[in-house]
Amino acid sequence: KQEVTQIPAALSVPEGENLVLNCSFTDSAIYNLQWFRQDPGKGLTSLLLIQSSQREQTSGRLNASLDKSSGRSTLYIAASQPGDSATYLCAVSLWDSWGKFQFGAGTQVVVTP
Amino acid sequence: AAGVIQSPRHLIKEKRETATLKCYPIPRHDTVYWYQQGPGQDPQFLISFYEKMQSDKGSIPDRFSAQQFSDYHSELNMSSLELGDSALYFCASSFQPGGHYGYTFGSGTRLTVV
């Protein structure tokens, strides 16, 4: 059974610092991995989708890397802003269950002005 | 750009009642997924449909049923509601299973059972 772990569970940084969020998974036979942002009581906003054949994806200040062999993905957010405060979730899908995401518990981020 | 539409946004039901949640995928998306997120928990996969057929099933209670219609929208029917069913229910859609071309999640339906 795929297990997804996100460390740390919570993170507080001053504005302007770079954020590094970690996600690890136990089964390397993933189909893809996706990073989401969730604001309190709100829905999921997709940030980056990395296919199993890719090593990283970038969008603006966001960069996500994928290392299947070590079962890890890292989300980097450059020059953090208070508006980046949210919970960030990582989710993986396996080759034999496309689209059935297994989510991590998330990292709650607070960026202080 | 059109997004995944879920209705209603909020729903309050009493125990033992029935609820129906609806999901309208992005145009040309043929696959729909349902997730349940309890308070303080991560989303849990319930069920998915591809071309109107169930494609995968997760931890969905027997009291719940779902289907995908000819226009690709999906409905999640929940009967004999329990307090523990209170959660945020997400629907996501993709073009073909696996989301090789990306997934899009709706904003969710918040169900409160009292």
Side-chain angles (χ1 to χ4, degrees):
Chain A
K1 179 181 181 291
Q2 175 75 275
E3 292 186 7
V4 181
T5 304
Q6 291 188 245
I7 294 173
L11 185 60
S12 180
V13 299
E15 182 177 4
E17 272 200 12
N18 297 330
L19 285 163
V20 181
L21 308 178
N22 298 299
C23 171
S24 61
F25 45 92
T26 54
D27 189 336
S28 61
I30 66 169
Y31 186 70
N32 53 38
L33 180 147
Q34 194 158 0
W35 282 94
F36 296 89
R37 168 190 171 130
Q38 186 173 33
D39 294 290
K42 302 294 184 182
L44 297 169
T45 300
S46 176
L47 298 174
L48 292 167
L49 172 70
I50 311 177
Q51 304 295 345
S52 62
S53 58
Q54 298 173 322
R55 293 190 64 84
E56 68 174 345
Q57 280 283 359
T58 298
S59 176
R61 295 184 293 113
L62 275 59
N63 173 277
S65 65
L66 174 64
D67 184 344
K68 284 193 305 178
S69 61
S70 65
R72 291 196 294 193
S73 176
T74 302
L75 177 66
Y76 301 89
I77 303 178
S80 61
Q81 304 168 359
D84 294 329
S85 298
T87 296
Y88 291 83
L89 294 141
C90 135
V92 300
S93 68
L94 298 178
W95 277 95
D96 61 354
S97 57
W98 295 355
K100 181 172 126 179
F101 275 121
Q102 181 70 40
F103 281 82
T107 294
Q108 187 174 10
V109 171
V110 174
V111 180
T112 56
Chain B
V4 175
I5 306 297
Q6 290 189 246
S7 68
R9 292 294 301 275
H10 302 274
L11 190 58
I12 299 175
K13 290 285 186 178
E14 295 189 354
K15 283 195 307 184
R16 292 180 288 279
E17 282 193 322
T18 297
T20 298
L21 279 53
K22 298 183 179 182
C23 169
Y24 297 87
I26 286 177
R28 292 191 298 277
H29 278 193
D30 50 19
T31 309
V32 168
Y33 316 83
W34 286 96
Y35 288 82
Q36 176 193 58
Q37 185 177 29
Q41 299 178 3
D42 48 278
Q44 297 293 316
F45 173 76
L46 292 177
I47 196 166
S48 61
F49 293 89
Y50 167 57
E51 284 291 345
K52 292 150 281 184
M53 299 288 289
Q54 180 182 306
S55 56
D56 207 345
K57 191 173 181 180
S59 49
I60 183 169
D62 292 339
R63 299 178 289 107
F64 293 7
S65 65
Q67 59 181 320
Q68 185 180 33
F69 295 85
S70 57
D71 63 352
Y72 296 108
H73 94 272
S74 178
E75 295 184 4
L76 178 65
N77 297 292
M78 310 158 68
S79 62
S80 302
L81 288 169
E82 302 173 356
L83 295 178
D85 296 329
S86 295
L88 194 55
Y89 290 83
F90 291 109
C91 165
S93 73
S94 69
F95 174 63
Q96 298 194 339
H100 184 79
Y101 304 100
Y103 303 87
T104 302
F105 276 75
S107 298
T109 293
R110 181 168 295 284
L111 172 66
T112 303
V113 182
V114 296

